[in-house]
Amino acid sequence: MKYKLIALDVDGTLLDDEHRLSAENKAAIAEVTRHGGQIVLCTGRSPQNSIPFMEEMGLTGYVLGHNGAATVRVEDRKVLHQYELDARGLDPYIAYCRERGIHFDINTAFDMYVDNVEHLSQEALFMYEHFRIVPASLPAWDEFREPIVKFTVFTKPDILDEAHREWDTWGGAYNILRSGEFFIDFMHPDASKGNALMNLARQLDVRQEEVLAIGNYYNDISMLTYAGLGIAMDNSPVEVKAASKAVTGTNNEHGVRDALLKYCLA
């Protein structure tokens, strides 16, 4: 098989809009692995709520979580690499969010923290339940014992647009990514799906031209352009399609299956 390492985004790509893994995608992935391909999930999610999909598919290997900020081995959940961001530099962004009632969370490789977990809004509670993750209350910076790898802001798209424009004028040392319609992620400037995928490919002695990646959003562009073949879902924004070498079906129409059948199993 031409492609030895296949990187899949999760939400909007592998899963449908109800965050379900289809039997069609699952069967195609099983066939790819039988032919020697290695599947890696490359996602904005935490390893905590993405590893279960690897287990559901009967896969071992790796998850590149938090948009590539944390690389974790599935079998023993060992963190192999992580990009630690400057936590104290987040203080003005946190103040901005608190002043405007914008929800945010702080992430280590496996854990998530929010302001006043007992007083989360119904929207935030629904979002965390939907993504199968349970946050804890945010401690003081000096109480953290694990590196902080991601700061995520969650609110309405128009408010996010305004905040993003404002933050772009601040400068600062973060990779600020729009990772979904309702999300902006802050990470170490070197943290990206593309860099994490490149590092893993080198570790596994897989050449760049032997890497295939499938994604659907702006945070996927770095891995789509790194891969020997980057494939955009049909539900992707036009900029993501333009950064890709091919386009497959939508996430609700088993587009991952179609791409694997065409480019890996034909």
Side-chain angles (χ1 to χ4, degrees):
M1 192 165 64
K2 179 178 179 180
Y3 298 105
K4 295 181 178 179
L5 186 62
I6 297 96
L8 304 177
D9 172 51
V10 175
D11 298 289
T13 299
L14 177 63
L15 307 183
D16 66 17
D17 285 348
E18 299 302 317
H19 302 279
R20 297 173 302 198
L21 172 62
S22 72
E24 290 84 353
N25 283 348
K26 190 175 178 179
I29 287 168
E31 190 66 15
V32 165
T33 59
R34 280 195 290 271
H35 283 77
Q38 180 164 357
I39 302 293
V40 56
L41 296 185
C42 201
T43 174
R45 287 176 178 243
S46 161
Q48 179 182 345
N49 63 342
S50 51
I51 286 177
F53 291 109
M54 292 287 282
E55 294 172 334
E56 181 179 347
M57 295 184 287
L59 300 177
T60 57
Y62 307 91
V63 164
L64 310 180
H66 298 301
N67 291 316
T71 297
V72 172
R73 189 163 55 205
V74 171
E75 298 95 299
D76 55 7
R77 286 166 164 71
K78 181 178 180 181
V79 179
L80 302 180
H81 183 269
Q82 55 191 329
Y83 291 95
E84 180 176 3
L85 56 73
D86 171 21
R88 293 186 182 275
L90 292 171
D91 286 337
Y93 300 95
I94 290 174
Y96 179 101
C97 290
R98 285 173 172 161
E99 288 168 5
R100 292 161 178 81
I102 298 173
H103 182 77
F104 65 88
D105 53 57
I106 304 286
N107 298 266
T108 63
F110 278 95
D111 296 315
M112 174 186 286
Y113 302 91
V114 299
D115 263 350
N116 300 318
V117 69
E118 299 86 359
H119 298 96
L120 287 175
S121 67
Q122 287 301 313
E123 292 84 359
L125 284 170
F126 177 79
M127 183 260 295
Y128 290 129
E129 181 179 342
H130 215 51
F131 284 98
R132 306 184 194 179
I133 197 159
V134 179
S137 287
L138 181 65
W141 291 134
D142 57 8
E143 294 178 29
F144 276 87
R145 296 295 174 261
E146 299 291 334
I148 294 167
V149 298
K150 191 179 72 173
F151 169 71
T152 296
V153 176
F154 165 68
T155 190
K156 296 176 181 178
D158 58 332
I159 299 175
L160 273 187
D161 292 341
E162 180 182 350
H164 205 170
R165 284 192 294 269
E166 171 71 17
W167 293 335
D168 279 346
T169 69
W170 291 11
Y174 299 106
N175 178 11
I176 304 178
L177 275 176
R178 190 68 172 260
S179 59
E181 186 179 6
F182 303 95
F183 301 97
I184 289 178
D185 292 336
F186 289 63
M187 301 174 298
H188 184 282
D190 294 332
S192 71
K193 291 189 178 187
N195 279 345
L197 185 57
M198 176 182 67
N199 292 337
L200 181 63
R202 289 174 176 173
Q203 177 186 328
L204 299 176
D205 198 26
V206 174
R207 300 194 307 272
Q208 184 174 359
E209 57 267 28
E210 297 173 321
V211 179
L212 181 147
I214 309 177
N216 78 295
Y217 212 67
Y218 300 109
N219 56 326
D220 294 317
I221 288 176
S222 62
M223 76 168 182
L224 295 173
T225 54
Y226 163 73
L229 178 60
I231 304 173
M233 305 296 290
D234 200 33
N235 47 289
S236 304
V238 63
E239 297 90 341
V240 180
K241 293 179 180 177
S244 305
K245 293 186 176 73
V247 177
T248 186
T250 73
N251 63 314
N252 292 320
E253 300 167 332
H254 324 299
V256 165
R257 174 204 60 186
D258 295 346
L260 295 179
L261 289 176
K262 181 175 182 178
Y263 297 104
C264 296
L265 299 171

